[in-house]
Amino acid sequence: MGLLDGKVAIITGAGGGIGRGHALLFAKEGAKVVVNDLGGARDGTGQGTTAAEQVVAEIKAAGGQAAPSYDDVSERAGADNLIQVALKAFGQLDVLVNNAGILRDKTLLKMEDAMWDLVVKVHLRGTFLCTQAAARAMVERAKGGRIINTTSVSGLLGNFGQANYSAAKAGIYGLTRTAHLELHQKHRITVNALAPVALTRLTEDLPMMKAMPNAKDFLAPESIAPIALFLASDLAAEISGAIVGVQGKQVNVYKMEVTPGVTPRADSWSPAELKERWGEIEGRK
């Protein structure tokens, strides 16, 4: 018995890297998998069917069941059709993993509008559209479900040269938290997010990756899949709203920190007192 026997899962951006790792492991654990990938370059240009079809072929060769999707998840029609691919091929939808993404890195002062717009569209709008479409299908079926989004350390902590990507990933954090509040208790749909660090075609030329001589082994994209599998399974039925960091074998949970807070000595704050007591406000004194 696999952890996902009888389940149907959609994984976006599953033609390579982290998404491919998810797809192969989910299928190994019994899920019928819709492998979605637009087949373009990492900057979002171009498209093709090869990436998705190759992963589908791998799954079938190993005895699993899979269907390809080449839909553009950043468009309403693409997100809606993606759900229909799962329903037509396998009759239901239990799990959605929002993993599709692109990069167009540039420092803030040099970033062009198109770089900002497309990265935010694919990551944040794509996650919203697919989450909404999948949740509607899950609510209609009334058997709960699992939604796993993909945020990033860049979105949670920031990263030089990635204002567009960081903003989109921070938006996914907020979307995950809100979707959890709206879907978990009422509809038994868990909504969590992964914040993975892995060596993929999107990250291979980032300075942090180049600085790690053993990144290929330590940060293999397949290392993220077991945590996604756990969140997709019935073992995680009560876990929702979590932002789970994964770096190699290390797993952690990101939480918003709020300091105890202080009040002014008089009736209201003055700039001078704010300056004087900033260490207290930060929680350092």
Side-chain angles (χ1 to χ4, degrees), residues 3-167:
L3 281 178
L4 299 182
D5 277 354
K7 306 290 187 182
V8 175
I10 291 173
I11 303 171
T12 72
I18 292 173
R20 173 180 171 274
H22 293 341
L24 295 178
L25 183 58
F26 280 29
K28 183 179 179 181
E29 289 291 332
K32 300 171 184 176
V33 181
V34 175
V35 178
N36 165 262
D37 202 291
L38 189 61
R42 75 173 196 165
D43 66 356
T45 57
Q47 62 184 77
T49 61
T50 302
E53 288 175 352
Q54 285 181 340
V55 177
V56 168
E58 285 186 79
I59 291 172
K60 289 182 176 180
Q65 297 185 60
S69 159
Y70 323 110
D71 293 292
D72 181 351
V73 299
S74 71
E75 296 289 349
R76 169 68 67 185
D80 287 346
N81 190 65
L82 175 58
I83 307 307
Q84 291 305 309
V85 170
L87 297 180
K88 290 176 182 177
F90 303 121
Q92 64 192 60
L93 175 60
D94 303 282
V95 180
L96 167 69
V97 182
N98 285 305
N99 174 74
I102 63 169
L103 284 182
R104 290 196 176 188
D105 291 354
K106 191 72 70 172
T107 56
L108 180 66
L109 296 180
K110 296 180 180 179
M111 184 166 293
E112 300 171 3
D113 291 356
M115 295 176 177
W116 176 277
D117 292 343
L118 188 58
V119 169
V120 172
K121 181 182 180 185
V122 172
H123 286 275
L124 184 53
R125 176 178 164 86
T127 297
F128 158 67
L129 291 174
C130 291
T131 295
Q132 185 184 61
R136 285 171 172 167
M138 292 173 182
V139 168
E140 183 177 352
R141 186 169 176 241
K143 291 186 180 293
R146 305 281 181 270
I147 296 174
I148 303 167
N149 296 326
T150 307
T151 182
S152 170
V153 176
S154 296
L156 301 172
L157 303 177
N159 194 33
F160 187 93
Q162 289 192 318
N164 50 2
Y165 180 78
S166 297

Side-chain angles (χ1 to χ4, degrees), residues 221-243:
E222 294 80 10
S223 66
I224 313 299
I227 293 79
L229 171 65
F230 167 69
L231 293 175
S233 75
D234 291 341
L235 295 174
E238 301 306 319
I239 299 174
S240 189
I243 312 300

